[in-house]
Amino acid sequence: MTDLLLHTAEELHRLPRTGRRAVVMTMGALHEGHATLIRTAREQAGPGGQVVVTVFVNPLQFGAGEDLDRYPRTLDADLAVAEGAGADAVFAPAADEVYPGGDPQVRITAGPMGERLEGATRPGHFDGMLTVVAKLLHLTRPDLALFGQKDAQQLALIRRMVTDLNFPVEVVGVPTVREEDGLALSSRNRYLSAAERHTALALSRALFAGRDRLAAQAALRARAEASPASDERATALARLGEIRASADAHAVSAAGAGLPNAVRAAALHVLEEAGRHEPPLVLDYLALVDPLDFTETGQDFTGQAVLAVAAKVGSTRLIDNIPLEFGAHS
């Protein structure tokens, strides 16, 4: 197992290169979500390719009062997970290997997208993230790099950096892996008590409520458009509306403001209820955004969107999101 482990850039550059190289960047404390990324990398690199996993807790991503010292370091367990999922090498450098001159004076700036949502709550976080991703891309020299869609804003910024700065790498997003109860896998889940975990389930339930509202509204619209312009159409539309209203009066009452607002309202209803739990969920943000720049969607929005949420339960801050598709409507 130790044969997998590399600590220096020199060791990494001596690693014989075979086929396409895929890299999976992590901060360690590997779980099934990371294992899924590594397995996907193995598939995409192919049998003749190579998978490199990086393990580095990047100090530039942690702000004042955040959990840099608390963040779990479990390298031996990480090596086992990486090997079991098909990694060929694990690059786990020390901080002075990645930043040999100390804190870097020249850094990547995330720009306006990096100041929204997570960036507004955690100033400088995305600058630190992009700086280390750029460094690790230079050090590992991959053909493709895989990142989880759970960190949707991070993924969008990495894609933009790769495009804007002409990095010769393909960025691949991998769908979020969830536990059986719906909670998105995260290294921070281990901090949750049983009661806190019960409250935290509201994040995924809220996202699924928004997704279900979108599907219900789309079905209602399709049914209405397929009905003839007659009393029969009016009756069918009213009947469907009544059924849905009995299931979710809160979201339906907001639906008149437009479909994106209806989706937000359905999700917010779940989060507001969780705010009355013990312990309570403390909402940071709920946003329905365009994945290209993470600006809020308007009421006439069509195309792909991301419904994103961040909240604290106890002392643990969690994020989650799901992709949604808004079709053109008449």
Side-chain angles (χ1 to χ4, degrees):
M1 190 182 301
T2 55
D3 292 343
L4 292 178
L5 184 58
L6 309 173
H7 286 295
T8 69
E10 183 179 353
E11 290 174 325
L12 182 62
H13 294 159
R14 287 203 306 262
L15 183 68
R17 189 164 187 139
T18 58
R20 294 213 305 167
R21 176 179 287 179
V23 67
V24 175
M25 297 182 190
T26 82
M27 292 207 298
L30 302 189
H31 49 63
E32 180 57 27
H34 296 110
T36 297
L37 284 169
I38 298 166
R39 286 192 293 267
T40 305
R42 177 80 275 156
E43 292 169 3
Q44 298 226 358
Q50 189 176 70
V51 176
V52 176
V53 175
T54 70
V55 175
F56 180 64
V57 181
N58 178 31
L60 301 188
Q61 289 176 231
F62 292 80
E66 292 190 333
D67 55 356
L68 173 60
D69 293 334
R70 186 186 177 202
Y71 198 88
R73 274 82 165 173
T74 57
L75 185 57
D76 288 343
D78 294 343
L79 287 170
V81 172
E83 183 178 41
D88 297 297
V90 174
F91 178 50
D96 59 3
E97 184 71 23
V98 178
Y99 303 121
D103 281 354
Q105 299 300 301
V106 177
R107 307 187 185 198
I108 302 291
T109 299
M113 195 196 322
E115 298 171 358
R116 299 173 187 135
L117 300 188
E118 285 298 290
T121 299
R122 306 174 68 190
H125 166 72
F126 285 125
D127 292 356
M129 178 276 295
L130 290 176
T131 298
V132 79
V133 168
K135 297 235 5 172
L136 290 173
L137 286 175
H138 284 310
L139 289 169
T140 58
R141 304 172 186 172
D143 298 291
L144 60 159
L146 293 87
F147 299 90
Q149 291 178 357
K150 184 176 91 59
D151 297 298
Q153 192 172 4
Q154 169 180 285
L155 175 58
L157 281 162
I158 291 169
R159 282 180 164 147
R160 188 61 192 250
M161 178 185 73
V162 163
T163 298
D164 287 352
L165 302 184
N166 298 100
F167 279 79
V169 63
E170 176 188 353
V171 176
V172 178
V174 179
T176 300
V177 178
R178 299 185 179 277
E179 301 194 40
E180 288 186 5
D181 57 11
L183 190 67
L185 282 172
S186 169
S187 301
R188 291 187 170 96
N189 290 353
R190 68 185 68 194
Y191 301 149
L192 298 170
S193 68
E196 288 170 343
R197 184 186 176 90
H198 179 73
T199 296
L201 292 177
L203 273 76
S204 56
R205 288 204 310 267
L207 297 177
F208 299 155
R211 177 196 62 193
D212 293 346
R213 164 55 55 198
L214 176 61
Q217 293 285 117
L220 178 62
R221 180 177 295 112
R223 176 74 175 270
E225 290 175 349
S227 299
S230 64
D231 290 343
E232 180 184 347
R233 171 176 174 151
T235 300
L237 182 58
R239 185 180 302 116
L240 284 171
E242 287 167 5
I243 292 171
R244 188 59 198 178
S246 66
D248 190 356
H250 182 278
V252 168
S253 68
L259 190 48
N261 271 356
V263 169
R264 292 184 184 96
L268 185 59
H269 182 53
V270 176
L271 297 169
E272 288 174 341
E273 286 188 341
R276 296 187 285 272
H277 291 178
E278 184 55 48
L281 180 144
V282 181
L283 182 63
D284 184 348
Y285 62 76
L286 172 72
L288 183 64
V289 298
D290 185 330
L292 294 179
D293 58 10
F294 271 67
T295 56
E296 285 279 352
T297 61
Q299 289 311 299
D300 295 325
F301 181 84
T302 60
Q304 292 186 342
V306 172
L307 183 61
V309 62
K312 279 189 101 172
V313 182
S315 62
T316 304
R317 187 174 183 274
L318 300 170
I319 63 172
D320 201 353
N321 71 85
I322 56 171
L324 297 175
E325 181 78 27
F326 286 78
H329 55 83
S330 55

PDB file of all heavy atoms in Angstrom, residues 37 46 83 117 133 136 295 301 321:
ATOM      1  N   LEU A  37     -15.556   8.935  -7.219  1.00  0.00           N
ATOM      2  CA  LEU A  37     -14.731   9.749  -8.110  1.00  0.00           C
ATOM      3  C   LEU A  37     -13.544   8.953  -8.639  1.00  0.00           C
ATOM      4  O   LEU A  37     -13.222   9.005  -9.834  1.00  0.00           O
ATOM      5  CB  LEU A  37     -14.221  10.984  -7.359  1.00  0.00           C
ATOM      6  CG  LEU A  37     -15.199  12.136  -7.117  1.00  0.00           C
ATOM      7  CD1 LEU A  37     -14.599  13.133  -6.131  1.00  0.00           C
ATOM      8  CD2 LEU A  37     -15.538  12.839  -8.419  1.00  0.00           C
ATOM      9  N   GLY A  46      -9.161   4.398 -18.492  1.00  0.00           N
ATOM     10  CA  GLY A  46      -9.039   3.158 -19.241  1.00  0.00           C
ATOM     11  C   GLY A  46      -8.013   2.220 -18.619  1.00  0.00           C
ATOM     12  O   GLY A  46      -7.209   2.620 -17.762  1.00  0.00           O
ATOM     13  N   GLU A  83      -6.628   2.796  -2.911  1.00  0.00           N
ATOM     14  CA  GLU A  83      -6.188   1.550  -3.550  1.00  0.00           C
ATOM     15  C   GLU A  83      -7.380   0.680  -3.913  1.00  0.00           C
ATOM     16  O   GLU A  83      -7.441   0.118  -5.021  1.00  0.00           O
ATOM     17  CB  GLU A  83      -5.255   0.794  -2.618  1.00  0.00           C
ATOM     18  CG  GLU A  83      -4.693  -0.486  -3.236  1.00  0.00           C
ATOM     19  CD  GLU A  83      -3.730  -1.185  -2.312  1.00  0.00           C
ATOM     20  OE1 GLU A  83      -4.001  -1.251  -1.096  1.00  0.00           O
ATOM     21  OE2 GLU A  83      -2.692  -1.677  -2.804  1.00  0.00           O
ATOM     22  N   LEU A 117     -22.776  33.433  -3.119  1.00  0.00           N
ATOM     23  CA  LEU A 117     -23.134  32.260  -2.336  1.00  0.00           C
ATOM     24  C   LEU A 117     -21.999  31.850  -1.387  1.00  0.00           C
ATOM     25  O   LEU A 117     -21.752  32.521  -0.390  1.00  0.00           O
ATOM     26  CB  LEU A 117     -23.552  31.111  -3.256  1.00  0.00           C
ATOM     27  CG  LEU A 117     -24.775  31.386  -4.161  1.00  0.00           C
ATOM     28  CD1 LEU A 117     -25.190  30.113  -4.866  1.00  0.00           C
ATOM     29  CD2 LEU A 117     -25.922  32.005  -3.415  1.00  0.00           C
ATOM     30  N   VAL A 133      -5.749  24.266  -6.831  1.00  0.00           N
ATOM     31  CA  VAL A 133      -6.101  23.424  -7.983  1.00  0.00           C
ATOM     32  C   VAL A 133      -5.153  23.708  -9.137  1.00  0.00           C
ATOM     33  O   VAL A 133      -4.659  22.777  -9.803  1.00  0.00           O
ATOM     34  CB  VAL A 133      -7.569  23.637  -8.387  1.00  0.00           C
ATOM     35  CG1 VAL A 133      -7.859  22.990  -9.752  1.00  0.00           C
ATOM     36  CG2 VAL A 133      -8.506  23.056  -7.339  1.00  0.00           C
ATOM     37  N   LEU A 136      -1.831  22.067  -8.308  1.00  0.00           N
ATOM     38  CA  LEU A 136      -1.885  20.608  -8.418  1.00  0.00           C
ATOM     39  C   LEU A 136      -2.043  20.152  -9.869  1.00  0.00           C
ATOM     40  O   LEU A 136      -1.557  19.076 -10.244  1.00  0.00           O
ATOM     41  CB  LEU A 136      -3.009  20.061  -7.543  1.00  0.00           C
ATOM     42  CG  LEU A 136      -2.745  20.169  -6.037  1.00  0.00           C
ATOM     43  CD1 LEU A 136      -3.984  19.772  -5.246  1.00  0.00           C
ATOM     44  CD2 LEU A 136      -1.546  19.312  -5.618  1.00  0.00           C
ATOM     45  N   THR A 295     -25.530  33.306 -10.892  1.00  0.00           N
ATOM     46  CA  THR A 295     -26.485  34.376 -10.627  1.00  0.00           C
ATOM     47  C   THR A 295     -27.880  33.767 -10.518  1.00  0.00           C
ATOM     48  O   THR A 295     -28.166  32.723 -11.112  1.00  0.00           O
ATOM     49  CB  THR A 295     -26.482  35.417 -11.752  1.00  0.00           C
ATOM     50  OG1 THR A 295     -26.746  34.763 -13.011  1.00  0.00           O
ATOM     51  CG2 THR A 295     -25.136  36.132 -11.824  1.00  0.00           C
ATOM     52  N   PHE A 301     -36.744  31.963 -16.833  1.00  0.00           N
ATOM     53  CA  PHE A 301     -35.524  31.199 -17.101  1.00  0.00           C
ATOM     54  C   PHE A 301     -35.855  29.846 -17.723  1.00  0.00           C
ATOM     55  O   PHE A 301     -36.788  29.158 -17.310  1.00  0.00           O
ATOM     56  CB  PHE A 301     -34.760  30.982 -15.792  1.00  0.00           C
ATOM     57  CG  PHE A 301     -33.470  30.225 -15.963  1.00  0.00           C
ATOM     58  CD1 PHE A 301     -32.312  30.886 -16.333  1.00  0.00           C
ATOM     59  CD2 PHE A 301     -33.411  28.851 -15.759  1.00  0.00           C
ATOM     60  CE1 PHE A 301     -31.123  30.187 -16.487  1.00  0.00           C
ATOM     61  CE2 PHE A 301     -32.230  28.149 -15.914  1.00  0.00           C
ATOM     62  CZ  PHE A 301     -31.083  28.815 -16.273  1.00  0.00           C
ATOM     63  N   ASN A 321     -26.744  20.481  -3.264  1.00  0.00           N
ATOM     64  CA  ASN A 321     -27.394  21.061  -4.443  1.00  0.00           C
ATOM     65  C   ASN A 321     -27.890  19.934  -5.336  1.00  0.00           C
ATOM     66  O   ASN A 321     -27.460  18.789  -5.200  1.00  0.00           O
ATOM     67  CB  ASN A 321     -26.423  21.964  -5.218  1.00  0.00           C
ATOM     68  CG  ASN A 321     -25.343  21.169  -5.934  1.00  0.00           C
ATOM     69  OD1 ASN A 321     -25.542  20.683  -7.057  1.00  0.00           O
ATOM     70  ND2 ASN A 321     -24.184  20.997  -5.286  1.00  0.00           N
TER      71      ASN A 321
END
